[in-house]
Amino acid sequence: MYTSRIAGMGKYVPDNVVTNDDLADMMDTNDAWIQERTGIKERRHIQKGDDNSTASMGVKAAKVALERAGISKDDVELIVFATLSPDYYFPGCGVQVQEMLDIKTCPALDVRNQCSGFIYGLSVADQFIKTGMYKNVLVIGSENHSGGLDFTTRGRSVSVIFGDGAGAAILTRSDKEGHGILSTHLHSEGKHALELSLKGPSTEYWVPQIIEEDPQEDIPYYPYMNGQFVFKNAVVRFSEVIMEGLKTNNLQVSDIDMLIPHQANLRISQFIQKKFQLGDDQVYNNIQKYGNTTAASIPIALTEAWEEGKIKEGDTVVLAAFGSGFTWGSAVIKW
């Protein structure tokens, strides 16, 4: 069997910066309250008319990843697109990316695993490459949260957390043993599905329009999150799935050169860092700048860490995520 490696990465975030003070103008909140509970200082939001969408942001990130990988769009044999905020209820964003990049008829696969979406997508791509079916796979995580959030005091516990953006990676076949993606580990626990959920339609049908047409108090089109319950489960599952990956590869916590956790809440990352006794140079966080970008969070952070020189050839990189579903997963990579 072959192995797969990440040959190129890219990210894209909208230009529009929304600070905590900006949100305080819309709802009963303040900068100190948000930072204390989430660690977030600002996030990026799409603006109407800026030509950004879930799919188009994914394409912008993908073009950077393709250039860095040194391959043409025509070399892409499979697109895996992870998001919880597709432009349409159907079809999925994968085929939109295929059309926007003008790739002839390569298959496009959509992954709906929310905060764990990129790791699930990475795992799918890894399996296709390992079996020899495909040589180059484009994996994208992209989110347009801002179009479906409640920017009133009623929705502040959720709306202050999320931002928009996209990240992408090119996975390519490698014959170098002991390098690339060493293993991936995926889990789910559907009995907690409604603890972090959104029952309404996609962001293509804007929430303000829905409210205007059908006003109600208990609005199913806004996200619901049982914050404390999610936090308690997240710290447990993060720890478990990181250790699962390390044990599979006969590694110790001390072997981790860079841990990139899903950027859900800075407090979760800090809890894991403290539990594993990792230094600040061994954990990468950027939630302060972008908020929680769900499926885009890990590829954006991975791209930035590499751009900043914090990931070098030969490093052991661990990715870990937990989110709605509940779903969680990890990937262990020898860079």
Side-chain angles (χ1 to χ4, degrees):
M1 294 180 71
Y2 300 100
T3 58
S4 66
R5 65 181 180 88
I6 295 177
M9 297 171 297
K11 68 173 175 57
Y12 174 82
V13 293
D15 293 332
N16 180 38
V17 177
V18 179
T19 67
N20 292 341
D21 289 334
D22 291 331
L23 294 181
D25 291 335
M26 308 178 203
M27 62 186 75
D28 183 13
T29 190
N30 58 71
D31 176 66
W33 188 91
I34 296 171
Q35 286 203 51
E36 179 184 348
R37 287 160 178 78
T38 69
I40 300 168
K41 298 179 181 179
E42 60 187 40
R43 72 285 294 147
R44 304 295 181 96
H45 284 173
I46 287 174
Q47 289 181 298
K48 286 188 178 181
D50 67 2
D51 295 324
N52 279 319
S53 70
T54 302
S56 68
M57 289 192 298
V59 168
K60 291 171 184 177
K63 287 180 177 179
V64 177
L66 284 165
E67 182 179 353
R68 288 173 171 172
I71 67 170
S72 162
K73 63 180 178 61
D74 296 318
D75 295 320
V76 174
E77 297 168 293
L78 171 67
I79 297 167
V80 182
F81 198 110
T83 187
L84 65 72
S85 53
D87 294 328
Y88 310 114
Y89 194 80
F90 66 87
C93 290
V95 294
Q96 292 178 264
V97 168
Q98 178 263 329
E99 189 274 334
M100 290 177 184
L101 287 176
D102 192 28
I103 302 173
K104 291 185 179 177
T105 59
C106 84
L109 175 67
D110 291 273
V111 174
R112 294 296 304 273
N113 288 90
Q114 295 66 252
C115 296
S116 306
F118 185 79
I119 288 183
Y120 267 72
L122 202 69
S123 182
V124 169
D126 181 45
Q127 309 314 311
F128 273 116
I129 291 175
K130 279 181 175 176
T131 60
M133 186 165 184
Y134 298 122
K135 183 178 179 180
N136 298 304
V137 181
L138 168 60
V139 184
I140 297 172
S142 182
E143 302 289 1
N144 168 15
H145 289 126
S146 61
L149 296 174
D150 180 359
F151 289 108
T152 70
T153 300
R154 176 182 55 200
R156 65 177 178 175
S157 63
V158 172
S159 297
V160 301
I161 298 171
F162 294 96
D164 304 335
I170 298 292
L171 265 67
T172 193
R173 183 185 300 170
S174 173
D175 297 319
K176 192 173 182 181
E177 190 174 347
H179 279 70
I181 297 178
L182 302 182
S183 64
T184 57
H185 309 270
L186 308 176
H187 298 276
S188 68
E189 192 173 22
K191 70 179 181 180
H192 299 311
L194 297 184
E195 300 297 341
L196 179 50
S197 60
L198 188 152
K199 298 180 181 179
S202 74
T203 53
E204 183 69 15
Y205 184 26
W206 295 109
V207 171
Q209 180 183 347
I210 294 169
I211 295 172
E212 183 179 352
E213 294 175 0
D214 184 22
Q216 51 186 300
E217 287 299 316
D218 185 18
I219 301 174
Y221 313 113
Y222 285 136
Y224 166 78
M225 180 173 64
N226 183 345
Q228 289 187 340
F229 188 79
V230 172
F231 187 99
K232 290 177 182 178
N233 277 264
V235 294
V236 172
R237 297 307 190 187
F238 261 111
S239 301
E240 290 177 350
V241 81
I242 290 168
M243 290 306 302
E244 181 181 3
L246 293 175
K247 289 179 180 178
T248 297
N249 296 285
N250 296 315
L251 297 170
Q252 307 295 320
V253 171
S254 57
D255 293 316
I256 297 175
D257 294 299
M258 180 59 68
L259 169 65
I260 299 184
H262 163 58
Q263 304 294 297
N265 186 310
L266 186 60
R267 307 301 167 233
I268 295 176
S269 297
Q270 290 172 335
F271 182 95
I272 299 302
Q273 178 178 344
K274 183 177 180 180
K275 180 173 182 177
F276 285 129
Q277 297 182 318
L278 297 171
D280 290 341
D281 60 338
Q282 293 174 283
V283 183
Y284 191 84
N285 291 299
N286 62 3
I287 190 172
Q288 303 93 323
K289 296 188 295 180
Y290 303 126
N292 181 349
T293 54
T294 305
S297 118
I298 285 180
I300 289 175
L302 183 62
T303 300
E304 286 201 339
W306 176 81
E307 289 173 341
E308 294 169 13
K310 296 182 178 180
I311 297 175
K312 304 175 294 297
E313 185 174 355
D315 281 355
T316 298
V317 179
V318 178
L319 313 178
F322 174 90
S324 171
F326 287 152
T327 61
W328 60 99
S330 66
V332 180
I333 304 169
K334 179 63 72 172
W335 207 257

